[in-house]
Amino acid sequence: MTSRSRPPGETAGQAVHGTESAELLRNEPGARPRALLLSAGLVSAGAVALAAGALMPAVRDGSPGFTAGPLLVVLALAPAVAVLYAVVTGRPGLAAGLVLGLTALAPGRLLLDLQLLADGSLAARPELFLADRLLTLPPAGPGLWPLVAGHLLTLAAGVFAAGTARDEAELAGELDGRRRWRLLGPVLGVAGGIGLLLAPLGSGNAYLLAKNAFEGPTVAMAGYLLLAAMLPLTVLVAVSSPSAGVGKGGFAGAGLAALAVGVPPMVAGLVVDRLSVAPGSVLVTVAGLGLLGLAFTRFDVEETGEAVTGDLAGEARLPGLFWWRLATGGLALLAAAAAVAGALTPVLKANGPTPVPETPARWLLLGAAVVLAVPALFVFVPRLSAFARGIVAATWAGIVLAGAAVLSAALSVTEDKAVDPASFGVDLPLPLPDRVGYSAAQGVTWTFIALALAAVAALAAVITGVVERDVSEDGGMDEPRANGNVLTPVVAAAVLAIAAFGTPVFIAPGYTAPGLWSDFGAASWGLLGALAVVLGLYALVPRSRPAAAAAALAGAALVLGLRAAELPLVGSEYDAASAGIGFWLALGAAVVSLVAAGMAVAGARRPE
């Protein structure tokens, strides 16, 4: 019996009875037995290499900050054991998903290890190396190369597992609309991605400077950014897989890879002197454990072949619409509150008698908090909840826009600040000069928290929209779509928005505005993120229901209005500031978006 002739009650990822495991690997077309076995072998070889590298010095004449070998060996071998178990028990989809989950995060983990080759003295990896003296470009040790080989072998394994995952998805058919607990996966993925951008640990050791992803060394920064992007993306791919086995495996593989990144610095913060646990590694660890736990839940309504009757079969274990709306509104309000705290508390503190400069972008952050909080309040009103939720799905980008500007101002001042070695417990024989410069204050912390909460609130808003469709009688398939004539103003608004985010809103003597294609800096990431959200909303409008399209366009107009508000909110802090072309373009794009919102509900068309 092949997989394409399975009985209706038997799923792709379900093991058969008796001697079926061996038969499955020999005969099932979807299993690709040779490729699957080769993939499992490569993952196993990579795990052994990672374990060997963990037991050898990663930096020549260097040593780890604690006895991390046993922990690192367990974290390296556990994924391989899971893959081999899935293969032996005849679960090709689960095995392929596990390998792909591990493969997706392997490039980021490889870059983190390559920081030891670029400059190990700047790497915050106490489980592999912790300096006890000042070092300049310490040479790589013999343990680094097995670590590199382990990640490369994992990448190779993913190439062979992709075919099996694709076949399993084809055999499973269409994705069941009742997604149950798998909808919680993207929330965990985003939370873990945020944790990867924060400092992995706290340090009171002068030889280990714990910094967040943006402040750290270049190679490690690229690794953390890649991991932060790939973790939620991998979870989304697993969520969308029609095969329950591939979906579960993707969750488990991504969770195990996240644990390998998050657990070591958390343990180091607990057991190493002058190191402390930081929220970053805790978030990554919690996300990894959560994804691993979701892999043990049922993904499909008929996953075990039972009959399904009524709506309760698909919704019994999924948090209801009320709870998703509560989460969306609550998270948005918390993000707005954190943004208010970031705007009103000091962003910088002086290391001496130097006066502390103010950050003009704090008023923009305060405005972004208002723009997010007002629609979030209406999410709790049943009749207006759906429309307000659609606006929240857009206005969270205002926190990104303003938060990046605040953080950019703080980083530009603190990047060259002086450090007092005495505060790290280091005694120097020579007297030290008075400290000068600035360091980050509470405002930076609150702004980071606001960015994290806004991202999670946006994801909750998207999931709430999915649940709204699922609980409707027809799933929204027979509802009218937005007026087809709305496409023309939407395209015009998109062109204006691109220009509005790429040109200065105000000009002032001695002021250089961050841009997208010139003067690209940390604040430019906020511009790019807000623009991406606005363009994404425009792209969804033609296929959306009238109310949803109007909400998306209204939200985009608010974000563009916030962009234009930089002139009075930020420009007023500069002498002789005047409106730039970006101000008029942002206003024009906002007006066109509102016109398109009206057109979306003025006439509606039935889906073809």
Side-chain angles (χ1 to χ4, degrees):
M1 179 182 69
T2 68
S3 61
R4 301 187 186 274
S5 60
R6 287 191 182 99
E10 192 172 301
T11 61
Q14 185 177 351
V16 287
H17 303 286
T19 60
E20 302 85 334
S21 296
E23 194 68 24
L24 181 68
L25 290 175
R26 285 198 301 268
N27 297 330
E28 184 173 338
R32 299 200 183 198
R34 294 181 180 176
L36 190 63
L37 290 175
L38 180 57
S39 177
L42 289 172
V43 163
S44 301
V48 172
L50 291 173
L55 299 175
M56 302 167 64
V59 173
R60 190 177 303 170
D61 298 328
S63 60
F66 65 106
T67 307
L71 173 65
L72 297 179
V73 169
V74 171
L75 292 172
L77 296 181
V81 172
V83 172
L84 292 175
Y85 172 79
V87 171
V88 171
T89 55
R91 301 175 185 178
L94 179 63
L98 273 163
V99 174
L100 292 178
L102 295 168
T103 299
L105 272 66
R109 295 177 61 189
L110 174 61
L111 288 173
L112 294 185
D113 289 341
L114 287 178
Q115 179 60 51
L116 294 169
L117 178 63
D119 188 352
S121 64
L122 300 178
R125 302 293 300 279
E127 73 276 14
L128 295 176
F129 170 67
L130 181 60
D132 56 1
R133 61 190 184 279
L134 291 176
L135 297 172
T136 302
L137 296 176
L144 177 62
W145 309 115
L147 294 176
V148 172
H151 297 310
L152 294 178
L153 288 170
T154 304
L155 284 170
V159 175
F160 293 98
T164 299
R166 183 171 58 251
D167 288 351
E168 289 295 314
E170 292 176 355
L171 294 172
E174 296 183 356
L175 175 66
D176 195 319
R178 300 181 176 94
R179 296 169 177 81
R180 289 191 172 186
W181 285 109
R182 70 165 68 183
L183 287 176
L184 297 177
V187 177
L188 292 171
V190 170
I194 293 170
L196 288 164
L197 298 179
L198 302 178
L201 45 79
S203 176
N205 187 322
Y207 305 118
L208 193 157
L209 299 180
K211 299 181 179 181
N212 62 50
F214 299 101
E215 297 177 306
T218 302
V219 179
M221 178 183 70
Y224 282 120
L225 292 177
L226 186 57
L227 285 170
M230 291 305 300
L231 180 58
L233 180 61
T234 303
V235 174
L236 286 174
V237 172
V239 166
S240 63
S241 175
S243 169
V246 174
K248 288 182 175 183
F251 274 26
L256 289 169
L259 289 175
V261 176
V263 170
M266 188 175 68
V267 174
L270 292 172
V271 302
V272 180
D273 291 339
R274 299 188 182 277
L275 299 185
S276 59
V277 177
S281 58
V282 174
L283 270 177
V284 177
T285 301
V286 170
L289 291 174
L291 291 172
L292 197 59
L294 285 178
F296 291 92
T297 62
R298 285 168 50 192
F299 267 37
D300 294 323
V301 176
E302 300 184 12
E303 185 177 326
T304 56
E306 74 274 16
V308 178
T309 57
D311 292 339
L312 291 179
E315 300 294 337
R317 297 188 179 183
L318 177 66
L321 181 58
F322 168 80
W323 296 107
W324 279 114
R325 286 175 172 172
L326 180 64
T328 300
L331 287 167
L333 289 176
L334 288 174
V340 170
L344 299 182
T345 55
V347 175
L348 298 171
K349 60 182 178 181
N351 293 332
T354 309
V356 179
E358 297 290 347
T359 304
R362 69 190 187 281
W363 301 120
L364 183 64
L365 184 60
L366 188 61
V370 174
V371 170
L372 178 62
V374 171
L377 290 173
F378 289 97
V379 173
F380 302 108
V381 181
R383 291 186 177 181
L384 301 176
S385 181
F387 187 81
R389 187 266 313 159
I391 295 179
V392 168
T395 53
W396 75 278
I399 302 294
V400 176
L401 176 66
V406 170
L407 295 177
S408 173
L411 291 175
S412 64
V413 175
T414 60
E415 61 184 1
D416 295 324
K417 66 180 183 293
V419 177
D420 181 8
S423 64
F424 292 97
V426 177
D427 296 324
L428 296 180
L430 298 177
L432 294 172
D434 292 337
R435 290 176 296 161
V436 295
Y438 307 95
S439 57
Q442 302 97 315
V444 171
T445 302
W446 283 115
T447 303
F448 265 119
I449 294 174
L451 288 169
L453 290 173
V456 179
L459 185 58
V462 173
I463 294 176
T464 302
V466 174
V467 178
E468 287 174 349
R469 285 177 173 270
D470 286 348
V471 299
S472 62
E473 293 183 359
D474 58 2
M477 297 303 296
D478 296 329
E479 295 186 16
R481 297 293 182 252
N483 186 354
N485 295 328
V486 78
L487 184 60
T488 299
V490 164
V491 172
V495 174
L496 290 173
I498 294 173
F501 283 102
T503 54
V505 170
F506 68 91
I507 54 177
Y511 172 74
T512 302
L516 293 180
W517 34 79
S518 63
D519 299 308
F520 195 93
S524 301
W525 289 105
L527 296 172
L528 189 61
L531 176 60
V533 171
V534 169
L535 294 180
L537 292 170
Y538 288 153
L540 294 175
V541 165
R543 299 298 300 173
S544 299
R545 294 166 292 172
L553 290 166
L558 286 174
V559 176
L560 289 162
L562 185 66
R563 170 65 172 163
E566 289 186 37
L567 174 60
L569 295 178
V570 180
S572 60
E573 299 285 327
Y574 294 88
D575 295 332
S578 60
I581 189 173
F583 173 76
W584 305 109
L585 290 170
L587 282 183
V591 171
V592 174
S593 296
L594 292 176
V595 171
M599 294 177 60
V601 295
R605 56 186 174 85
R606 292 281 173 181
E608 298 179 359

